Amino acid sequence: QRRRAATFPAMSPTLDEPAVWAHPLDLHYALKGFDGWPKLLLEVWTVDQFGRCELGGYGCCVVPTSSGMHEVKVQTWRPCGTLREQITSFFLGGVPTLKHREVISSSFDRFRLHTETAGAVSLRLCIVTKGLGRYRVTG
């Protein structure tokens, strides 16, 4: 079951410094089996110099299976669009976005897209697991 959430914006003092978003998320999952292990799907938005919101990038990572603190770096990407969309984006702002977000977590469908790298998001995840021994899951 997919859950969606919006978050608070984070601002960086200069373009050279990373934006620090330090708001905790508290999530609880109950599993009946190991199939469909949770993933975090990221959709990063930016604000341009004219105050317009536009897509910064998409990313996806699998939630670690072992308990403890984990540092996870998620590479982000965004669609390039057609030549016409790139020219329009350059002069008028805005970038192409996905119509179907399922593509974010499916590497098979992504091979058909023309994408460009959009940076990375560093996550610090504190994972607590319970009862995964019966599924023979080890970290």
Side-chain angles (χ1 to χ4, degrees), residues 30-85:
L31 302 173
K32 293 182 181 177
F34 190 63
D35 291 337
W37 189 258
K39 294 179 182 180
L40 291 176
L41 305 180
L42 305 177
E43 188 173 308
V44 180
W45 288 80
T46 63
V47 178
D48 70 6
Q49 63 187 5
F50 302 109
R52 298 177 297 207
C53 291
E54 58 185 34
L55 177 69
Y58 298 107
C60 179
C61 73
V62 175
V63 174
T65 59
S66 62
S67 295
M69 184 72 72
H70 300 272
E71 299 280 337
V72 179
K73 191 170 192 176
V74 181
Q75 297 297 326
T76 61
W77 55 271
R78 64 179 170 216
C80 291
T82 64
L83 180 60
R84 180 180 179 154
E85 289 171 328

Short mmCIF file of all heavy atoms in Angstrom, two decimals, residues 30-85:
data_model
loop_
_atom_site.label_atom_id
_atom_site.label_comp_id
_atom_site.label_asym_id
_atom_site.label_seq_id
_atom_site.Cartn_x
_atom_site.Cartn_y
_atom_site.Cartn_z
N ALA A 30 3.98 -3.42 8.90
CA ALA A 30 3.75 -4.79 9.34
C ALA A 30 3.75 -5.66 8.08
O ALA A 30 3.08 -5.33 7.09
CB ALA A 30 2.41 -4.91 10.06
N LEU A 31 4.53 -6.74 8.10
CA LEU A 31 4.68 -7.59 6.93
C LEU A 31 4.13 -8.98 7.21
O LEU A 31 4.27 -9.51 8.30
CB LEU A 31 6.16 -7.72 6.55
CG LEU A 31 6.90 -6.43 6.24
CD1 LEU A 31 8.38 -6.72 6.07
CD2 LEU A 31 6.34 -5.80 5.00
N LYS A 32 3.51 -9.57 6.20
CA LYS A 32 3.09 -10.96 6.27
C LYS A 32 4.08 -11.86 5.53
O LYS A 32 4.03 -13.06 5.66
CB LYS A 32 1.69 -11.12 5.66
CG LYS A 32 0.62 -10.43 6.46
CD LYS A 32 -0.73 -10.65 5.84
CE LYS A 32 -1.79 -9.94 6.65
NZ LYS A 32 -3.11 -10.05 6.06
N GLY A 33 4.95 -11.27 4.77
CA GLY A 33 5.96 -11.98 4.02
C GLY A 33 7.04 -11.01 3.60
O GLY A 33 6.92 -9.80 3.78
N PHE A 34 8.11 -11.55 3.04
CA PHE A 34 9.24 -10.71 2.66
C PHE A 34 9.04 -10.04 1.30
O PHE A 34 9.70 -9.06 0.99
CB PHE A 34 10.51 -11.57 2.66
CG PHE A 34 11.76 -10.77 2.51
CD1 PHE A 34 12.13 -9.84 3.46
CD2 PHE A 34 12.57 -10.92 1.41
CE1 PHE A 34 13.28 -9.08 3.32
CE2 PHE A 34 13.73 -10.17 1.25
CZ PHE A 34 14.07 -9.26 2.22
N ASP A 35 8.14 -10.55 0.48
CA ASP A 35 7.90 -9.94 -0.83
C ASP A 35 7.36 -8.52 -0.66
O ASP A 35 6.51 -8.26 0.17
CB ASP A 35 6.88 -10.76 -1.63
CG ASP A 35 7.45 -12.10 -2.06
OD1 ASP A 35 8.68 -12.22 -2.12
OD2 ASP A 35 6.66 -13.02 -2.30
N GLY A 36 7.87 -7.62 -1.47
CA GLY A 36 7.41 -6.24 -1.41
C GLY A 36 8.01 -5.45 -0.26
O GLY A 36 7.33 -4.64 0.36
N TRP A 37 9.30 -5.69 0.01
CA TRP A 37 9.97 -4.95 1.09
C TRP A 37 9.86 -3.46 0.81
O TRP A 37 9.96 -3.03 -0.33
CB TRP A 37 11.43 -5.39 1.16
CG TRP A 37 12.14 -4.83 2.35
CD1 TRP A 37 13.01 -3.79 2.37
CD2 TRP A 37 12.03 -5.29 3.69
NE1 TRP A 37 13.46 -3.56 3.63
CE2 TRP A 37 12.86 -4.47 4.48
CE3 TRP A 37 11.31 -6.30 4.32
CZ2 TRP A 37 13.00 -4.64 5.85
CZ3 TRP A 37 11.45 -6.46 5.69
CH2 TRP A 37 12.28 -5.63 6.43
N PRO A 38 9.65 -2.63 1.84
CA PRO A 38 9.41 -1.19 1.64
C PRO A 38 10.56 -0.47 0.92
O PRO A 38 11.73 -0.77 1.14
CB PRO A 38 9.25 -0.66 3.06
CG PRO A 38 8.93 -1.83 3.90
CD PRO A 38 9.57 -3.01 3.25
N LYS A 39 10.17 0.46 0.09
CA LYS A 39 11.10 1.35 -0.60
C LYS A 39 10.71 2.79 -0.29
O LYS A 39 9.54 3.08 -0.03
CB LYS A 39 11.01 1.17 -2.11
CG LYS A 39 11.45 -0.17 -2.61
CD LYS A 39 11.30 -0.24 -4.12
CE LYS A 39 11.70 -1.60 -4.65
NZ LYS A 39 11.55 -1.66 -6.10
N LEU A 40 11.68 3.66 -0.31
CA LEU A 40 11.41 5.08 -0.20
C LEU A 40 11.50 5.68 -1.60
O LEU A 40 12.54 5.57 -2.25
CB LEU A 40 12.42 5.77 0.72
CG LEU A 40 12.34 5.43 2.19
CD1 LEU A 40 13.48 6.11 2.95
CD2 LEU A 40 11.01 5.85 2.77
N LEU A 41 10.42 6.28 -2.06
CA LEU A 41 10.41 6.97 -3.34
C LEU A 41 10.51 8.45 -3.06
O LEU A 41 9.71 9.01 -2.31
CB LEU A 41 9.12 6.66 -4.11
CG LEU A 41 8.80 5.19 -4.34
CD1 LEU A 41 7.51 5.06 -5.12
CD2 LEU A 41 9.92 4.50 -5.08
N LEU A 42 11.51 9.10 -3.65
CA LEU A 42 11.73 10.51 -3.40
C LEU A 42 11.35 11.33 -4.63
O LEU A 42 11.63 10.94 -5.76
CB LEU A 42 13.20 10.77 -3.07
CG LEU A 42 13.79 9.97 -1.91
CD1 LEU A 42 15.27 10.29 -1.77
CD2 LEU A 42 13.05 10.27 -0.64
N GLU A 43 10.73 12.45 -4.37
CA GLU A 43 10.42 13.42 -5.42
C GLU A 43 10.88 14.77 -4.86
O GLU A 43 10.28 15.30 -3.93
CB GLU A 43 8.92 13.41 -5.69
CG GLU A 43 8.52 14.23 -6.89
CD GLU A 43 7.04 14.05 -7.22
OE1 GLU A 43 6.59 12.90 -7.36
OE2 GLU A 43 6.36 15.07 -7.34
N VAL A 44 11.97 15.28 -5.39
CA VAL A 44 12.59 16.50 -4.89
C VAL A 44 12.19 17.67 -5.79
O VAL A 44 12.30 17.58 -7.02
CB VAL A 44 14.13 16.37 -4.86
CG1 VAL A 44 14.78 17.63 -4.34
CG2 VAL A 44 14.54 15.16 -4.03
N TRP A 45 11.72 18.73 -5.17
CA TRP A 45 11.33 19.93 -5.93
C TRP A 45 12.24 21.08 -5.53
O TRP A 45 12.73 21.15 -4.41
CB TRP A 45 9.87 20.28 -5.65
CG TRP A 45 8.95 19.31 -6.31
CD1 TRP A 45 8.60 18.07 -5.86
CD2 TRP A 45 8.30 19.48 -7.56
NE1 TRP A 45 7.76 17.46 -6.76
CE2 TRP A 45 7.56 18.30 -7.81
CE3 TRP A 45 8.26 20.50 -8.49
CZ2 TRP A 45 6.80 18.13 -8.95
CZ3 TRP A 45 7.49 20.33 -9.62
CH2 TRP A 45 6.78 19.16 -9.86
N THR A 46 12.47 21.99 -6.46
CA THR A 46 13.30 23.17 -6.22
C THR A 46 12.49 24.42 -6.53
O THR A 46 11.44 24.36 -7.16
CB THR A 46 14.56 23.16 -7.11
OG1 THR A 46 14.16 23.23 -8.48
CG2 THR A 46 15.38 21.91 -6.88
N VAL A 47 13.01 25.53 -6.07
CA VAL A 47 12.42 26.83 -6.39
C VAL A 47 13.46 27.60 -7.17
O VAL A 47 14.60 27.77 -6.72
CB VAL A 47 12.04 27.60 -5.10
CG1 VAL A 47 11.47 28.96 -5.43
CG2 VAL A 47 11.05 26.79 -4.27
N ASP A 48 13.11 28.07 -8.38
CA ASP A 48 14.08 28.78 -9.20
C ASP A 48 14.20 30.23 -8.75
O ASP A 48 13.54 30.67 -7.81
CB ASP A 48 13.75 28.64 -10.69
CG ASP A 48 12.50 29.40 -11.12
OD1 ASP A 48 11.92 30.14 -10.29
OD2 ASP A 48 12.10 29.26 -12.29
N GLN A 49 15.04 30.98 -9.44
CA GLN A 49 15.31 32.37 -9.06
C GLN A 49 14.09 33.27 -9.16
O GLN A 49 14.05 34.35 -8.58
CB GLN A 49 16.45 32.93 -9.91
CG GLN A 49 16.13 32.99 -11.38
CD GLN A 49 17.34 33.39 -12.20
OE1 GLN A 49 18.43 33.53 -11.68
NE2 GLN A 49 17.14 33.56 -13.49
N PHE A 50 13.05 32.83 -9.89
CA PHE A 50 11.83 33.61 -10.03
C PHE A 50 10.71 33.14 -9.10
O PHE A 50 9.58 33.60 -9.20
CB PHE A 50 11.35 33.57 -11.49
CG PHE A 50 12.36 34.07 -12.46
CD1 PHE A 50 13.02 33.20 -13.31
CD2 PHE A 50 12.70 35.41 -12.51
CE1 PHE A 50 13.98 33.64 -14.20
CE2 PHE A 50 13.65 35.87 -13.40
CZ PHE A 50 14.30 34.98 -14.25
N GLY A 51 11.04 32.20 -8.21
CA GLY A 51 10.06 31.71 -7.25
C GLY A 51 9.14 30.62 -7.77
O GLY A 51 8.16 30.28 -7.13
N ARG A 52 9.48 30.05 -8.93
CA ARG A 52 8.66 28.98 -9.50
C ARG A 52 9.14 27.62 -8.99
O ARG A 52 10.33 27.37 -8.93
CB ARG A 52 8.73 28.98 -11.03
CG ARG A 52 8.20 30.25 -11.65
CD ARG A 52 8.37 30.21 -13.14
NE ARG A 52 9.80 30.15 -13.46
CZ ARG A 52 10.33 30.59 -14.59
NH1 ARG A 52 9.56 31.09 -15.52
NH2 ARG A 52 11.62 30.50 -14.80
N CYS A 53 8.19 26.77 -8.63
CA CYS A 53 8.53 25.40 -8.20
C CYS A 53 8.69 24.52 -9.43
O CYS A 53 7.85 24.55 -10.33
CB CYS A 53 7.44 24.83 -7.31
SG CYS A 53 7.32 25.64 -5.73
N GLU A 54 9.78 23.76 -9.46
CA GLU A 54 9.97 22.82 -10.56
C GLU A 54 10.69 21.57 -10.03
O GLU A 54 11.30 21.59 -8.97
CB GLU A 54 10.74 23.43 -11.72
CG GLU A 54 12.09 23.97 -11.40
CD GLU A 54 12.71 24.67 -12.60
OE1 GLU A 54 12.00 25.28 -13.40
OE2 GLU A 54 13.94 24.57 -12.71
N LEU A 55 10.55 20.51 -10.77
CA LEU A 55 11.11 19.23 -10.36
C LEU A 55 12.63 19.29 -10.27
O LEU A 55 13.30 19.72 -11.20
CB LEU A 55 10.70 18.14 -11.36
CG LEU A 55 11.27 16.76 -11.08
CD1 LEU A 55 10.64 16.17 -9.83
CD2 LEU A 55 11.05 15.86 -12.27
N GLY A 56 13.15 18.84 -9.13
CA GLY A 56 14.59 18.71 -8.96
C GLY A 56 15.04 17.32 -9.38
O GLY A 56 16.06 17.16 -10.02
N GLY A 57 14.27 16.30 -9.03
CA GLY A 57 14.62 14.94 -9.42
C GLY A 57 13.80 13.90 -8.68
O GLY A 57 13.13 14.19 -7.70
N TYR A 58 13.89 12.68 -9.19
CA TYR A 58 13.25 11.51 -8.58
C TYR A 58 14.34 10.56 -8.11
O TYR A 58 15.41 10.51 -8.69
CB TYR A 58 12.39 10.75 -9.60
CG TYR A 58 11.25 11.53 -10.20
CD1 TYR A 58 11.31 11.97 -11.51
CD2 TYR A 58 10.11 11.79 -9.46
CE1 TYR A 58 10.25 12.66 -12.09
CE2 TYR A 58 9.04 12.48 -10.02
CZ TYR A 58 9.12 12.91 -11.33
OH TYR A 58 8.07 13.59 -11.90
N GLY A 59 14.04 9.79 -7.08
CA GLY A 59 14.98 8.79 -6.60
C GLY A 59 14.25 7.69 -5.86
O GLY A 59 13.10 7.84 -5.46
N CYS A 60 14.94 6.57 -5.67
CA CYS A 60 14.34 5.42 -5.00
C CYS A 60 15.42 4.64 -4.27
O CYS A 60 16.53 4.49 -4.78
CB CYS A 60 13.65 4.53 -6.03
SG CYS A 60 12.90 3.07 -5.34
N CYS A 61 15.10 4.16 -3.07
CA CYS A 61 16.02 3.27 -2.34
C CYS A 61 15.21 2.26 -1.56
O CYS A 61 14.07 2.52 -1.18
CB CYS A 61 16.96 4.06 -1.44
SG CYS A 61 16.19 4.75 0.03
N VAL A 62 15.81 1.11 -1.33
CA VAL A 62 15.19 0.07 -0.52
C VAL A 62 15.52 0.34 0.94
O VAL A 62 16.66 0.68 1.27
CB VAL A 62 15.71 -1.32 -0.94
CG1 VAL A 62 15.17 -2.41 -0.04
CG2 VAL A 62 15.36 -1.60 -2.39
N VAL A 63 14.54 0.22 1.82
CA VAL A 63 14.77 0.40 3.24
C VAL A 63 15.67 -0.74 3.72
O VAL A 63 15.41 -1.90 3.40
CB VAL A 63 13.42 0.40 4.01
CG1 VAL A 63 13.66 0.44 5.51
CG2 VAL A 63 12.56 1.58 3.57
N PRO A 64 16.75 -0.45 4.46
CA PRO A 64 17.63 -1.51 4.94
C PRO A 64 16.89 -2.56 5.77
O PRO A 64 15.92 -2.24 6.46
CB PRO A 64 18.66 -0.76 5.81
CG PRO A 64 18.65 0.63 5.27
CD PRO A 64 17.23 0.88 4.84
N THR A 65 17.36 -3.81 5.71
CA THR A 65 16.69 -4.91 6.41
C THR A 65 17.25 -5.16 7.80
O THR A 65 16.69 -5.95 8.54
CB THR A 65 16.81 -6.22 5.60
OG1 THR A 65 18.19 -6.51 5.42
CG2 THR A 65 16.11 -6.11 4.27
N SER A 66 18.33 -4.50 8.16
CA SER A 66 18.92 -4.72 9.49
C SER A 66 18.67 -3.52 10.40
O SER A 66 18.57 -2.38 9.94
CB SER A 66 20.42 -4.98 9.36
OG SER A 66 21.07 -3.85 8.80
N SER A 67 18.58 -3.81 11.68
CA SER A 67 18.38 -2.75 12.67
C SER A 67 19.63 -1.90 12.78
O SER A 67 20.73 -2.35 12.52
CB SER A 67 18.06 -3.36 14.03
OG SER A 67 16.84 -4.05 13.99
N GLY A 68 19.44 -0.65 13.17
CA GLY A 68 20.57 0.25 13.40
C GLY A 68 20.47 1.52 12.58
O GLY A 68 19.49 1.78 11.89
N MET A 69 21.54 2.31 12.68
CA MET A 69 21.64 3.57 11.95
C MET A 69 22.27 3.30 10.59
O MET A 69 23.31 2.63 10.51
CB MET A 69 22.49 4.57 12.74
CG MET A 69 22.57 5.93 12.11
SD MET A 69 21.04 6.87 12.22
CE MET A 69 21.02 7.27 13.93
N HIS A 70 21.65 3.81 9.54
CA HIS A 70 22.15 3.60 8.18
C HIS A 70 22.26 4.93 7.46
O HIS A 70 21.35 5.76 7.53
CB HIS A 70 21.20 2.68 7.39
CG HIS A 70 21.01 1.34 7.99
ND1 HIS A 70 21.85 0.29 7.70
CD2 HIS A 70 20.10 0.87 8.87
CE1 HIS A 70 21.46 -0.77 8.37
NE2 HIS A 70 20.40 -0.44 9.09
N GLU A 71 23.37 5.14 6.78
CA GLU A 71 23.56 6.29 5.90
C GLU A 71 23.30 5.80 4.48
O GLU A 71 24.00 4.91 4.00
CB GLU A 71 24.98 6.84 6.02
CG GLU A 71 25.35 7.33 7.40
CD GLU A 71 24.82 8.72 7.70
OE1 GLU A 71 24.54 9.49 6.76
OE2 GLU A 71 24.68 9.03 8.90
N VAL A 72 22.32 6.34 3.83
CA VAL A 72 21.95 5.91 2.48
C VAL A 72 22.02 7.12 1.55
O VAL A 72 21.48 8.19 1.86
CB VAL A 72 20.51 5.33 2.46
CG1 VAL A 72 20.11 4.91 1.06
CG2 VAL A 72 20.39 4.16 3.42
N LYS A 73 22.71 6.95 0.43
CA LYS A 73 22.81 8.02 -0.57
C LYS A 73 21.96 7.61 -1.76
O LYS A 73 22.20 6.58 -2.38
CB LYS A 73 24.26 8.23 -0.98
CG LYS A 73 24.49 9.48 -1.79
CD LYS A 73 25.97 9.74 -1.95
CE LYS A 73 26.19 11.13 -2.50
NZ LYS A 73 27.60 11.43 -2.58
N VAL A 74 20.97 8.43 -2.08
CA VAL A 74 20.04 8.14 -3.17
C VAL A 74 20.38 9.05 -4.35
O VAL A 74 20.31 10.28 -4.23
CB VAL A 74 18.57 8.36 -2.73
CG1 VAL A 74 17.62 8.03 -3.87
CG2 VAL A 74 18.25 7.56 -1.49
N GLN A 75 20.76 8.44 -5.47
CA GLN A 75 21.02 9.21 -6.68
C GLN A 75 19.67 9.61 -7.30
O GLN A 75 18.78 8.78 -7.41
CB GLN A 75 21.83 8.39 -7.68
CG GLN A 75 23.21 8.02 -7.18
CD GLN A 75 24.09 9.23 -6.93
OE1 GLN A 75 24.02 10.25 -7.62
NE2 GLN A 75 24.93 9.13 -5.91
N THR A 76 19.55 10.86 -7.68
CA THR A 76 18.30 11.31 -8.29
C THR A 76 18.49 11.58 -9.78
O THR A 76 19.60 11.81 -10.24
CB THR A 76 17.76 12.58 -7.59
OG1 THR A 76 18.72 13.63 -7.71
CG2 THR A 76 17.48 12.30 -6.12
N TRP A 77 17.38 11.55 -10.49
CA TRP A 77 17.37 11.75 -11.94
C TRP A 77 16.07 12.44 -12.31
O TRP A 77 15.13 12.51 -11.52
CB TRP A 77 17.49 10.41 -12.65
CG TRP A 77 16.42 9.44 -12.22
CD1 TRP A 77 16.50 8.56 -11.18
CD2 TRP A 77 15.13 9.27 -12.79
NE1 TRP A 77 15.32 7.86 -11.06
CE2 TRP A 77 14.47 8.27 -12.04
CE3 TRP A 77 14.45 9.86 -13.85
CZ2 TRP A 77 13.17 7.87 -12.32
CZ3 TRP A 77 13.16 9.45 -14.14
CH2 TRP A 77 12.54 8.46 -13.38
N ARG A 78 16.04 12.97 -13.51
CA ARG A 78 14.80 13.56 -14.02
C ARG A 78 14.73 13.36 -15.52
O ARG A 78 15.77 13.21 -16.18
CB ARG A 78 14.69 15.02 -13.65
CG ARG A 78 15.74 15.90 -14.25
CD ARG A 78 15.53 17.34 -13.84
NE ARG A 78 16.68 18.11 -14.24
CZ ARG A 78 17.16 19.11 -13.57
NH1 ARG A 78 16.61 19.51 -12.45
NH2 ARG A 78 18.21 19.76 -14.01
N PRO A 79 13.53 13.34 -16.07
CA PRO A 79 13.38 13.16 -17.51
C PRO A 79 13.96 14.36 -18.27
O PRO A 79 13.85 15.50 -17.82
CB PRO A 79 11.86 13.07 -17.73
CG PRO A 79 11.25 12.97 -16.38
CD PRO A 79 12.25 13.41 -15.39
N CYS A 80 14.58 14.08 -19.41
CA CYS A 80 15.12 15.16 -20.24
C CYS A 80 14.03 15.82 -21.08
O CYS A 80 14.06 17.02 -21.31
CB CYS A 80 16.20 14.63 -21.18
SG CYS A 80 17.70 14.14 -20.35
N GLY A 81 13.12 15.02 -21.56
CA GLY A 81 12.09 15.56 -22.45
C GLY A 81 12.59 15.65 -23.88
O GLY A 81 13.74 15.35 -24.19
N THR A 82 11.71 16.09 -24.75
CA THR A 82 12.06 16.25 -26.15
C THR A 82 12.89 17.52 -26.34
O THR A 82 13.01 18.33 -25.40
CB THR A 82 10.79 16.36 -27.01
OG1 THR A 82 10.08 17.55 -26.61
CG2 THR A 82 9.89 15.15 -26.83
N LEU A 83 13.44 17.72 -27.50
CA LEU A 83 14.21 18.93 -27.79
C LEU A 83 13.34 20.17 -27.58
O LEU A 83 13.78 21.17 -27.00
CB LEU A 83 14.77 18.89 -29.21
CG LEU A 83 15.58 20.12 -29.64
CD1 LEU A 83 16.79 20.30 -28.72
CD2 LEU A 83 16.02 19.99 -31.08
N ARG A 84 12.12 20.09 -28.02
CA ARG A 84 11.19 21.23 -27.86
C ARG A 84 10.96 21.53 -26.37
O ARG A 84 10.96 22.69 -25.96
CB ARG A 84 9.87 20.92 -28.55
CG ARG A 84 8.86 22.02 -28.43
CD ARG A 84 7.59 21.66 -29.13
NE ARG A 84 6.64 22.75 -28.97
CZ ARG A 84 5.67 23.00 -29.79
NH1 ARG A 84 5.51 22.26 -30.86
NH2 ARG A 84 4.85 23.99 -29.57
N GLU A 85 10.77 20.47 -25.55
CA GLU A 85 10.57 20.67 -24.12
C GLU A 85 11.82 21.25 -23.46
O GLU A 85 11.72 22.08 -22.55
CB GLU A 85 10.19 19.35 -23.46
CG GLU A 85 8.79 18.87 -23.81
CD GLU A 85 8.51 17.46 -23.33
OE1 GLU A 85 9.45 16.64 -23.28
OE2 GLU A 85 7.33 17.18 -23.03
#
